[in-house]
Amino acid sequence: TRIRPSSKRCAVIGGSGFLGRHLVEKLLDKGYTVSVFDIRQSYELPGVTFHLGDLCDKQALLTALQDVSLVFHCASPAPASDDKALFQRVNIQGTQTVLQACTEAGVQKVVLTSSASVVFEGTDIKDGREDLPYAKKPIDYYTETKIEQEKLVLKACDKEKGLLTVAIRPHGIFGPRDPQLVPILVDTARRGKMKFIIGDGSNLVDFTFVDNVVHGHILAAESLRPESPICGKMVMD
Ligand code: NAD
């Protein structure tokens, strides 16, 4: 029989990114041993092992997932990228590869960073809950692939085989080292392009502080058990 790896050994796929790095730092604080798997290394931290590789490469993943019991998958091409083939390859095929590698490596839990946009179809959502249907006409191709990615991860939840999965759906994330949201807002404002109001100015939008997104991910990971209600489900952040 296979010896189960310690539940405190985890890997963060996309751990060089904005959210990933915050997640890594918090996991270290909480006494986890952390491996980062990413196509780039953007920092160094004592206690973190970096594995450079593309998540579409199962062999590279298998090396990084040795003795790992918990995987956070928060890698994605940047939403602003216009490269449909890249979204398809990384978010859909790549996620399939991640799930295969997790099964082969004996990983017990996978926490996916999905997106709140998977239920957004251009009309207002107030007090939205997890039971909203997926958008039939997603706002862009990135979101289309995030929907497929989420379905793949949730479908892979198999209590018999011992692989438990959950998907977290954050909305816009802000906080230290944010490369997108606030810098893009500031840049747009500087260029004088924020002098228009869409609608009557009462539109609302949710943003989540990165530490709270991290907290949600770790809570989900630690509560994920065969009998827990979040098992194989999506959670709005
Ligand atoms: P980010 O671009 O800062 O980080 C993504 C990381 O994934 C990068 O380090 C990148 O190198 C890595 N990566 C990309 N392709 C890869 C591949 N083929 N193999 C291995 N690594 C690869 O993005 P982020 O803002 O930290 O987003 C993290 C996750 O959160 C993504 O899944 C994104 O869809 C989701 N999300 C982000 C926001 C937000 O506002 N930032 C909102 C909702 C959902």
Side-chain angles (χ1 to χ4, degrees):
T1 53
R2 184 197 283 273
I3 297 167
R4 291 282 191 192
S6 148
S7 62
K8 286 264 176 178
R9 290 188 76 95
C10 67
V12 180
I13 304 177
S16 284
F18 166 50
L19 174 63
R21 179 172 171 184
H22 281 279
L23 191 53
V24 168
E25 288 170 347
K26 182 50 104 188
L27 287 163
L28 288 174
D29 275 1
K30 291 181 69 87
Y32 284 82
T33 307
V34 185
S35 293
V36 166
F37 185 91
D38 203 299
I39 38 173
R40 65 190 176 116
Q41 178 173 355
S42 62
Y43 59 96
E44 277 185 40
L45 258 183
V48 180
T49 315
F50 280 88
H51 297 265
L52 287 185
D54 188 315
L55 60 81
C56 301
D57 176 352
K58 195 170 82 179
Q59 284 312 319
L61 277 168
L62 283 172
T63 311
L65 297 185
Q66 254 176 32
D67 297 327
V68 161
S69 69
L70 165 62
V71 167
F72 294 92
H73 177 6
C74 57
S76 169
S81 145
D82 226 7
D83 192 337
K84 276 193 165 190
L86 182 69
F87 284 130
Q88 158 84 29
R89 189 179 72 81
V90 176
N91 286 353
I92 302 180
Q93 281 144 248
T95 297
Q96 256 158 349
T97 309
V98 167
L99 292 165
Q100 278 162 12
C102 286
T103 307
E104 285 179 31
V107 168
Q108 292 154 45
K109 299 180 184 185
V110 175
V111 179
L112 170 74
T113 314
S114 179
S115 168
S117 63
V118 299
V119 297
F120 181 62
E121 222 152 1
T123 48
D124 290 350
I125 297 176
K126 204 173 164 220
D127 300 329
R129 296 188 345 177
E130 286 79 359
D131 53 9
L132 284 169
Y134 287 114
K136 285 194 195 70
K137 287 188 189 149
I139 46 165
D140 53 21
Y141 192 68
Y142 158 78
T143 308
E144 208 173 310
T145 60
K146 291 295 282 184
I147 293 176
E148 290 314 310
Q149 175 189 52
E150 195 189 275
K151 287 183 182 168
L152 284 170
V153 170
L154 298 181
K155 207 173 69 190
C157 186
D158 189 332
K159 296 176 193 176
E160 309 287 294
K161 282 195 196 149
L163 180 69
L164 306 182
T165 66
V166 64
I168 311 290
R169 294 175 176 170
H171 205 271
I173 307 171
F174 69 97
R177 303 188 300 259
D178 155 29
Q180 294 175 58
L181 186 68
V182 173
I184 290 173
L185 282 179
V186 170
D187 183 58
T188 314
R190 283 216 176 103
R191 287 187 290 120
K193 291 197 168 173
M194 280 184 61
K195 293 179 180 155
F196 310 96
I197 294 177
I198 297 169
D200 64 3
S202 61
N203 291 1
L204 300 173
V205 66
D206 274 328
F207 296 104
T208 318
F209 184 55
V210 65
D211 285 1
N212 294 330
V213 181
V214 165
H215 185 57
H217 277 62
I218 297 176
L219 281 182
E222 292 182 345
S223 326
L224 192 54
R225 287 190 202 91
E227 68 283 4
S228 52
I230 58 165
C231 194
K233 300 270 171 56
M234 51 297 227
V235 183
M236 297 288 232
D237 208 10

